[in-house]
């Protein structure tokens, strides 16, 4: 690991803890290379902030996938966008074994998307049934955890919610078990249980609208009394996935966006553990990240980043990513939309049931318990949203996001005020910016009283990157810790405050 090279400005004394970030960092082994950026081998890195100083560490996640690939010096474990085939020199027996293992795939443990907490344990996660426990201080790779040992979930979203008691809430898909495919929301209690998933309990299940084409999802919403789940028309074709290896195509090619389908919005009551009786729906859209959800005067409001199609995944194929770095490519930029779900459908058919004055979002009553929701566009060209998590599930104003108005790779970050619709931007010139993480000041009263941390990757190689500290209110630079190492572009991060 590297120590800081230099520092400009003063890091606030109260800011003590470790920011761990995760993302793909290795894209070729021997003569083989990954097709898609999301497929790369997971590279963890962390910034430990103590008494105004920053220590940097980085380490590959050394799971079974990493070790198998390294040992063979080629890609031998398939990822979503890259199917691995045996060395042509291998004998026919090993080729048959490889084929069988792909028909009912045992997924990768290359967990390169996020860091989540269950109990007192921290895990690197992607979206398969495997996560890897890590040491949050040294970044050492620890136990391989298989969700299927504890819960009937083949795929698990990589974003988790947490309540004030330290419990975690996650969501996974159970595919074709006893002739049913369903989405399962589960709770992992906080505290010392080992392993934490041993105490996991199913909160509720939502039946999938089609047995063999479950919806893909990356996150969900949570308020004090409800969960919000978007069943979108971006679907995985299970049968095509089973034959993908034989057809010499990737699993990603079995994920299709269906613009002719609607998007179902499931509202689940946390007390009854059942869906509310109203069938909310909207037009076709693709959503990866929700910003926040909250209750207000008989409505659930939830804000999401949405796309008109699934072209975002296509843009991260490595060949396309190189093209974009220097070009004005055609790009379907995302919109931050606010949807409002009325908790009562009392009213006339054709009536807009939304009674909140501060939003133009509508929810029009139709026949047979259906309600058609239209979102209000709050702003556009933003992604990777973070908020002051103390306001998660509560009425809030501020979100911190990457500006992706020209390309999905951000050079600016923005503070957005959902009340006034005002944006304040910070631009790093030539650098690329990672997801901004808001850290509240201890005992703060104001929602935006704190700092925002983001990694800036220098576009000029060999110049090193820096950890940027911005003031949460003014969005002005407070400090930067320059590290004499080239950062990799990453996905998501988790800040662990120093308990002392």
């Amino acid at each position: 690991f590297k120590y800081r090279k230099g520092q400009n400005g003063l890091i606030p004394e109260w800011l003590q803890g470790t920011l761990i970030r995760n993302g793909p960092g290795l894209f070729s082994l021997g003569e083989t290379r990954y097709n898609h950026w999301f497929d790369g081998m997971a590279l963890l890195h962390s910034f430990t902030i103590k008494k105004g100083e920053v220590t940097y560490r980085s380490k590959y996640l050394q799971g079974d996938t990493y070790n198998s690939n390294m040992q063979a010096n080629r890609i031998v474990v398939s990822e979503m966008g890259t199917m691995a085939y045996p060395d042509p020199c291998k004998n026919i027996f090993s080729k048959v074994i490889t084929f069988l293992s792909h028909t009912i795939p045992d997924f990768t443990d290359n967990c390169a998307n996020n860091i989540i907490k269950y109990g007192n344990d921290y895990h690197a996660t992607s979206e398969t049934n495997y996560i890897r426990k890590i040491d949050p201080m040294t970044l050492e790779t620890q136990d391989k955890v298989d969700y299927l040992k504890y819960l009937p979930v083949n795929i698990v979203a990589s974003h988790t919610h947490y309540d004030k008691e330290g419990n975690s809430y996650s969501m996974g898909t159970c595919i074709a078990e006893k002739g049913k495919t369903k989405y399962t929301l589960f709770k992992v209690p906080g505290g010392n249980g080992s392993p934490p998933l041993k105490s996991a309990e199913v909160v509720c299940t939502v039946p999938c609208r089609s047995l063999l084409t479950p919806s893909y999802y990356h996150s969900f919403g949570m308020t004090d009394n409800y969960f919000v789940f978007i069943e979108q028309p971006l679907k995985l074709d299970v049968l095509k996935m089973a034959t993908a290896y034989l057809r010499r195509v990737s699993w990603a090619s079995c994920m299709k966006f269906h613009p002719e389908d609607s998007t179902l919005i499931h509202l689940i009551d946390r007390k009854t553990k059942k869906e509310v009786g109203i069938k909310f729906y909207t037009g076709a859209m693709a959503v990866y990240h929700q910003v926040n959800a909250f209750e207000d005067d008989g409505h659930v409001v939830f804000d999401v980043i949405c796309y008109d199609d699934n072209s975002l995944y296509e843009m991260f194929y490595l060949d396309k990513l190189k093209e974009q770095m220097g070009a004005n490519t055609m790009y379907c930029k995302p919109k931050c939309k606010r949807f409002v779900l009325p908790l009562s459908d009392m009213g006339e058919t054709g009536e807009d049931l939304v009674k909140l004055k501060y939003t133009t979002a509508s929810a029009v009553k139709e026949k047979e318990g259906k309600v058609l929701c239209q979102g209000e566009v709050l702003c556009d060209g933003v992604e990777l949203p973070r908020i002051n998590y103390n306001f998660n599930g509560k009425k809030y104003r501020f979100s911190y996001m990457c500006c992706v108005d020209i390309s999905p790779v951000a050079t600016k970050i923005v503070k957005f005020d959902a009340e006034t619709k005002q944006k304040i931007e910070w631009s790093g010139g030539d650098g690329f910016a990672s997801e901004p993480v808001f850290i509240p000041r201890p005992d703060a009263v104001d929602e935006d009283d704190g700092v925002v941390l983001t990694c800036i990757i220098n576009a000029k190689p060999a110049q090193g990157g820096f950890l940027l500290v911005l003031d949460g209110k003014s969005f002005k630079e407070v400090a930067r810790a320059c590290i004499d190492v080239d950062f990799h572009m990453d996905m998501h991060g988790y800040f662990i405050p120093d308990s002392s």
Side-chain angles (χ1 to χ4, degrees), residues 425-448:
E425 288 183 353
W426 182 92
S427 172
D430 283 343
F432 300 112
S434 72
E435 167 199 59
V437 178
F438 181 87
I439 319 293
R441 182 195 299 272
D443 305 319
V445 175
D446 293 345
E447 182 186 340
D448 57 352

PDB file of all heavy atoms in Angstrom, residues 425-448:
ATOM      1  N   GLU A 425     -22.117  22.305  -9.060  1.00  0.00           N
ATOM      2  CA  GLU A 425     -21.187  21.338  -9.645  1.00  0.00           C
ATOM      3  C   GLU A 425     -19.767  21.559  -9.152  1.00  0.00           C
ATOM      4  O   GLU A 425     -19.362  22.680  -8.863  1.00  0.00           O
ATOM      5  CB  GLU A 425     -21.196  21.453 -11.189  1.00  0.00           C
ATOM      6  CG  GLU A 425     -22.460  20.925 -11.822  1.00  0.00           C
ATOM      7  CD  GLU A 425     -22.408  20.975 -13.348  1.00  0.00           C
ATOM      8  OE1 GLU A 425     -21.443  21.533 -13.910  1.00  0.00           O
ATOM      9  OE2 GLU A 425     -23.338  20.444 -13.976  1.00  0.00           O
ATOM     10  N   TRP A 426     -19.018  20.462  -9.069  1.00  0.00           N
ATOM     11  CA  TRP A 426     -17.568  20.528  -8.886  1.00  0.00           C
ATOM     12  C   TRP A 426     -16.938  19.812 -10.069  1.00  0.00           C
ATOM     13  O   TRP A 426     -17.339  18.693 -10.404  1.00  0.00           O
ATOM     14  CB  TRP A 426     -17.132  19.843  -7.581  1.00  0.00           C
ATOM     15  CG  TRP A 426     -15.638  19.947  -7.377  1.00  0.00           C
ATOM     16  CD1 TRP A 426     -14.972  20.915  -6.699  1.00  0.00           C
ATOM     17  CD2 TRP A 426     -14.642  19.050  -7.891  1.00  0.00           C
ATOM     18  NE1 TRP A 426     -13.617  20.690  -6.754  1.00  0.00           N
ATOM     19  CE2 TRP A 426     -13.375  19.554  -7.492  1.00  0.00           C
ATOM     20  CE3 TRP A 426     -14.676  17.898  -8.667  1.00  0.00           C
ATOM     21  CZ2 TRP A 426     -12.185  18.928  -7.827  1.00  0.00           C
ATOM     22  CZ3 TRP A 426     -13.490  17.272  -9.012  1.00  0.00           C
ATOM     23  CH2 TRP A 426     -12.255  17.788  -8.585  1.00  0.00           C
ATOM     24  N   SER A 427     -15.992  20.470 -10.701  1.00  0.00           N
ATOM     25  CA  SER A 427     -15.348  19.872 -11.865  1.00  0.00           C
ATOM     26  C   SER A 427     -13.860  19.684 -11.602  1.00  0.00           C
ATOM     27  O   SER A 427     -13.196  20.573 -11.071  1.00  0.00           O
ATOM     28  CB  SER A 427     -15.543  20.780 -13.084  1.00  0.00           C
ATOM     29  OG  SER A 427     -14.773  20.281 -14.150  1.00  0.00           O
ATOM     30  N   GLY A 428     -13.359  18.504 -12.011  1.00  0.00           N
ATOM     31  CA  GLY A 428     -11.942  18.194 -11.793  1.00  0.00           C
ATOM     32  C   GLY A 428     -11.091  18.389 -13.029  1.00  0.00           C
ATOM     33  O   GLY A 428     -10.001  17.852 -13.127  1.00  0.00           O
ATOM     34  N   GLY A 429     -11.600  19.142 -13.997  1.00  0.00           N
ATOM     35  CA  GLY A 429     -10.815  19.363 -15.208  1.00  0.00           C
ATOM     36  C   GLY A 429     -10.647  18.082 -15.999  1.00  0.00           C
ATOM     37  O   GLY A 429     -11.617  17.523 -16.500  1.00  0.00           O
ATOM     38  N   ASP A 430      -9.408  17.586 -16.066  1.00  0.00           N
ATOM     39  CA  ASP A 430      -9.106  16.390 -16.864  1.00  0.00           C
ATOM     40  C   ASP A 430      -9.478  15.086 -16.179  1.00  0.00           C
ATOM     41  O   ASP A 430      -9.519  14.044 -16.809  1.00  0.00           O
ATOM     42  CB  ASP A 430      -7.589  16.320 -17.155  1.00  0.00           C
ATOM     43  CG  ASP A 430      -7.217  17.291 -18.255  1.00  0.00           C
ATOM     44  OD1 ASP A 430      -8.142  17.720 -18.965  1.00  0.00           O
ATOM     45  OD2 ASP A 430      -6.037  17.628 -18.381  1.00  0.00           O
ATOM     46  N   GLY A 431      -9.708  15.126 -14.865  1.00  0.00           N
ATOM     47  CA  GLY A 431      -9.879  13.880 -14.115  1.00  0.00           C
ATOM     48  C   GLY A 431     -11.258  13.269 -14.260  1.00  0.00           C
ATOM     49  O   GLY A 431     -12.211  13.913 -14.696  1.00  0.00           O
ATOM     50  N   PHE A 432     -11.355  11.972 -13.881  1.00  0.00           N
ATOM     51  CA  PHE A 432     -12.642  11.272 -13.833  1.00  0.00           C
ATOM     52  C   PHE A 432     -13.047  11.119 -12.377  1.00  0.00           C
ATOM     53  O   PHE A 432     -12.212  10.809 -11.522  1.00  0.00           O
ATOM     54  CB  PHE A 432     -12.528   9.906 -14.505  1.00  0.00           C
ATOM     55  CG  PHE A 432     -12.117   9.991 -15.953  1.00  0.00           C
ATOM     56  CD1 PHE A 432     -10.881   9.522 -16.366  1.00  0.00           C
ATOM     57  CD2 PHE A 432     -12.960  10.566 -16.889  1.00  0.00           C
ATOM     58  CE1 PHE A 432     -10.491   9.612 -17.694  1.00  0.00           C
ATOM     59  CE2 PHE A 432     -12.585  10.670 -18.215  1.00  0.00           C
ATOM     60  CZ  PHE A 432     -11.344  10.194 -18.628  1.00  0.00           C
ATOM     61  N   ALA A 433     -14.338  11.324 -12.103  1.00  0.00           N
ATOM     62  CA  ALA A 433     -14.811  11.319 -10.714  1.00  0.00           C
ATOM     63  C   ALA A 433     -15.577  10.038 -10.406  1.00  0.00           C
ATOM     64  O   ALA A 433     -16.357   9.561 -11.220  1.00  0.00           O
ATOM     65  CB  ALA A 433     -15.708  12.530 -10.474  1.00  0.00           C
ATOM     66  N   SER A 434     -15.373   9.507  -9.193  1.00  0.00           N
ATOM     67  CA  SER A 434     -16.122   8.320  -8.758  1.00  0.00           C
ATOM     68  C   SER A 434     -17.362   8.768  -7.990  1.00  0.00           C
ATOM     69  O   SER A 434     -17.541   9.955  -7.692  1.00  0.00           O
ATOM     70  CB  SER A 434     -15.242   7.433  -7.872  1.00  0.00           C
ATOM     71  OG  SER A 434     -15.054   8.057  -6.623  1.00  0.00           O
ATOM     72  N   GLU A 435     -18.194   7.806  -7.639  1.00  0.00           N
ATOM     73  CA  GLU A 435     -19.407   8.029  -6.844  1.00  0.00           C
ATOM     74  C   GLU A 435     -19.088   8.883  -5.606  1.00  0.00           C
ATOM     75  O   GLU A 435     -18.215   8.531  -4.820  1.00  0.00           O
ATOM     76  CB  GLU A 435     -19.920   6.653  -6.418  1.00  0.00           C
ATOM     77  CG  GLU A 435     -20.963   6.646  -5.348  1.00  0.00           C
ATOM     78  CD  GLU A 435     -21.066   5.278  -4.681  1.00  0.00           C
ATOM     79  OE1 GLU A 435     -20.062   4.785  -4.128  1.00  0.00           O
ATOM     80  OE2 GLU A 435     -22.151   4.704  -4.723  1.00  0.00           O
ATOM     81  N   PRO A 436     -19.808  10.000  -5.406  1.00  0.00           N
ATOM     82  CA  PRO A 436     -19.560  10.833  -4.216  1.00  0.00           C
ATOM     83  C   PRO A 436     -20.257  10.264  -2.978  1.00  0.00           C
ATOM     84  O   PRO A 436     -21.428   9.899  -3.053  1.00  0.00           O
ATOM     85  CB  PRO A 436     -20.156  12.192  -4.606  1.00  0.00           C
ATOM     86  CG  PRO A 436     -21.140  11.898  -5.695  1.00  0.00           C
ATOM     87  CD  PRO A 436     -20.820  10.564  -6.303  1.00  0.00           C
ATOM     88  N   VAL A 437     -19.551  10.155  -1.872  1.00  0.00           N
ATOM     89  CA  VAL A 437     -20.105   9.572  -0.635  1.00  0.00           C
ATOM     90  C   VAL A 437     -20.226  10.669   0.421  1.00  0.00           C
ATOM     91  O   VAL A 437     -19.218  11.311   0.769  1.00  0.00           O
ATOM     92  CB  VAL A 437     -19.206   8.418  -0.126  1.00  0.00           C
ATOM     93  CG1 VAL A 437     -19.761   7.848   1.176  1.00  0.00           C
ATOM     94  CG2 VAL A 437     -19.096   7.317  -1.177  1.00  0.00           C
ATOM     95  N   PHE A 438     -21.445  10.884   0.926  1.00  0.00           N
ATOM     96  CA  PHE A 438     -21.673  11.927   1.932  1.00  0.00           C
ATOM     97  C   PHE A 438     -21.439  11.364   3.334  1.00  0.00           C
ATOM     98  O   PHE A 438     -21.980  10.317   3.684  1.00  0.00           O
ATOM     99  CB  PHE A 438     -23.100  12.467   1.833  1.00  0.00           C
ATOM    100  CG  PHE A 438     -23.386  13.559   2.840  1.00  0.00           C
ATOM    101  CD1 PHE A 438     -23.100  14.883   2.551  1.00  0.00           C
ATOM    102  CD2 PHE A 438     -23.922  13.261   4.092  1.00  0.00           C
ATOM    103  CE1 PHE A 438     -23.337  15.890   3.481  1.00  0.00           C
ATOM    104  CE2 PHE A 438     -24.159  14.245   5.026  1.00  0.00           C
ATOM    105  CZ  PHE A 438     -23.866  15.575   4.716  1.00  0.00           C
ATOM    106  N   ILE A 439     -20.649  12.070   4.144  1.00  0.00           N
ATOM    107  CA  ILE A 439     -20.418  11.687   5.549  1.00  0.00           C
ATOM    108  C   ILE A 439     -20.950  12.814   6.434  1.00  0.00           C
ATOM    109  O   ILE A 439     -20.427  13.936   6.394  1.00  0.00           O
ATOM    110  CB  ILE A 439     -18.901  11.502   5.874  1.00  0.00           C
ATOM    111  CG1 ILE A 439     -18.152  10.788   4.737  1.00  0.00           C
ATOM    112  CG2 ILE A 439     -18.723  10.822   7.230  1.00  0.00           C
ATOM    113  CD1 ILE A 439     -18.528   9.370   4.499  1.00  0.00           C
ATOM    114  N   PRO A 440     -22.002  12.558   7.251  1.00  0.00           N
ATOM    115  CA  PRO A 440     -22.529  13.630   8.099  1.00  0.00           C
ATOM    116  C   PRO A 440     -21.580  13.955   9.252  1.00  0.00           C
ATOM    117  O   PRO A 440     -20.914  13.066   9.790  1.00  0.00           O
ATOM    118  CB  PRO A 440     -23.850  13.051   8.625  1.00  0.00           C
ATOM    119  CG  PRO A 440     -23.714  11.568   8.498  1.00  0.00           C
ATOM    120  CD  PRO A 440     -22.733  11.289   7.401  1.00  0.00           C
ATOM    121  N   ARG A 441     -21.542  15.227   9.600  1.00  0.00           N
ATOM    122  CA  ARG A 441     -20.779  15.637  10.782  1.00  0.00           C
ATOM    123  C   ARG A 441     -21.476  15.060  12.018  1.00  0.00           C
ATOM    124  O   ARG A 441     -22.703  15.072  12.084  1.00  0.00           O
ATOM    125  CB  ARG A 441     -20.757  17.162  10.847  1.00  0.00           C
ATOM    126  CG  ARG A 441     -19.953  17.750  12.012  1.00  0.00           C
ATOM    127  CD  ARG A 441     -20.298  19.224  12.206  1.00  0.00           C
ATOM    128  NE  ARG A 441     -19.986  20.014  11.033  1.00  0.00           N
ATOM    129  CZ  ARG A 441     -18.799  20.570  10.805  1.00  0.00           C
ATOM    130  NH1 ARG A 441     -17.822  20.436  11.688  1.00  0.00           N
ATOM    131  NH2 ARG A 441     -18.587  21.285   9.719  1.00  0.00           N
ATOM    132  N   PRO A 442     -20.725  14.527  12.990  1.00  0.00           N
ATOM    133  CA  PRO A 442     -21.381  13.995  14.199  1.00  0.00           C
ATOM    134  C   PRO A 442     -22.265  15.078  14.849  1.00  0.00           C
ATOM    135  O   PRO A 442     -21.863  16.234  14.935  1.00  0.00           O
ATOM    136  CB  PRO A 442     -20.200  13.630  15.115  1.00  0.00           C
ATOM    137  CG  PRO A 442     -19.048  13.432  14.185  1.00  0.00           C
ATOM    138  CD  PRO A 442     -19.263  14.380  13.044  1.00  0.00           C
ATOM    139  N   ASP A 443     -23.454  14.684  15.278  1.00  0.00           N
ATOM    140  CA  ASP A 443     -24.420  15.586  15.928  1.00  0.00           C
ATOM    141  C   ASP A 443     -24.921  16.713  15.030  1.00  0.00           C
ATOM    142  O   ASP A 443     -25.450  17.710  15.518  1.00  0.00           O
ATOM    143  CB  ASP A 443     -23.834  16.187  17.229  1.00  0.00           C
ATOM    144  CG  ASP A 443     -23.351  15.109  18.180  1.00  0.00           C
ATOM    145  OD1 ASP A 443     -24.056  14.087  18.308  1.00  0.00           O
ATOM    146  OD2 ASP A 443     -22.268  15.275  18.773  1.00  0.00           O
ATOM    147  N   ALA A 444     -24.767  16.576  13.709  1.00  0.00           N
ATOM    148  CA  ALA A 444     -25.262  17.620  12.802  1.00  0.00           C
ATOM    149  C   ALA A 444     -26.781  17.670  12.845  1.00  0.00           C
ATOM    150  O   ALA A 444     -27.444  16.650  13.050  1.00  0.00           O
ATOM    151  CB  ALA A 444     -24.794  17.329  11.378  1.00  0.00           C
ATOM    152  N   VAL A 445     -27.333  18.868  12.655  1.00  0.00           N
ATOM    153  CA  VAL A 445     -28.783  19.052  12.577  1.00  0.00           C
ATOM    154  C   VAL A 445     -29.189  19.182  11.109  1.00  0.00           C
ATOM    155  O   VAL A 445     -30.123  18.532  10.656  1.00  0.00           O
ATOM    156  CB  VAL A 445     -29.227  20.300  13.380  1.00  0.00           C
ATOM    157  CG1 VAL A 445     -30.729  20.552  13.204  1.00  0.00           C
ATOM    158  CG2 VAL A 445     -28.877  20.132  14.852  1.00  0.00           C
ATOM    159  N   ASP A 446     -28.487  20.008  10.370  1.00  0.00           N
ATOM    160  CA  ASP A 446     -28.816  20.228   8.953  1.00  0.00           C
ATOM    161  C   ASP A 446     -28.466  18.999   8.116  1.00  0.00           C
ATOM    162  O   ASP A 446     -27.409  18.382   8.316  1.00  0.00           O
ATOM    163  CB  ASP A 446     -28.069  21.445   8.395  1.00  0.00           C
ATOM    164  CG  ASP A 446     -28.561  22.743   9.028  1.00  0.00           C
ATOM    165  OD1 ASP A 446     -29.634  22.712   9.659  1.00  0.00           O
ATOM    166  OD2 ASP A 446     -27.873  23.768   8.887  1.00  0.00           O
ATOM    167  N   GLU A 447     -29.320  18.702   7.151  1.00  0.00           N
ATOM    168  CA  GLU A 447     -29.141  17.525   6.302  1.00  0.00           C
ATOM    169  C   GLU A 447     -27.819  17.532   5.543  1.00  0.00           C
ATOM    170  O   GLU A 447     -27.202  16.487   5.332  1.00  0.00           O
ATOM    171  CB  GLU A 447     -30.312  17.470   5.300  1.00  0.00           C
ATOM    172  CG  GLU A 447     -30.296  16.289   4.379  1.00  0.00           C
ATOM    173  CD  GLU A 447     -31.388  16.353   3.315  1.00  0.00           C
ATOM    174  OE1 GLU A 447     -32.382  17.091   3.513  1.00  0.00           O
ATOM    175  OE2 GLU A 447     -31.255  15.670   2.289  1.00  0.00           O
ATOM    176  N   ASP A 448     -27.370  18.734   5.117  1.00  0.00           N
ATOM    177  CA  ASP A 448     -26.147  18.799   4.303  1.00  0.00           C
ATOM    178  C   ASP A 448     -24.914  19.232   5.101  1.00  0.00           C
ATOM    179  O   ASP A 448     -23.903  19.656   4.522  1.00  0.00           O
ATOM    180  CB  ASP A 448     -26.348  19.713   3.094  1.00  0.00           C
ATOM    181  CG  ASP A 448     -26.774  21.130   3.470  1.00  0.00           C
ATOM    182  OD1 ASP A 448     -27.074  21.367   4.672  1.00  0.00           O
ATOM    183  OD2 ASP A 448     -26.824  21.988   2.572  1.00  0.00           O
TER     184      ASP A 448
END
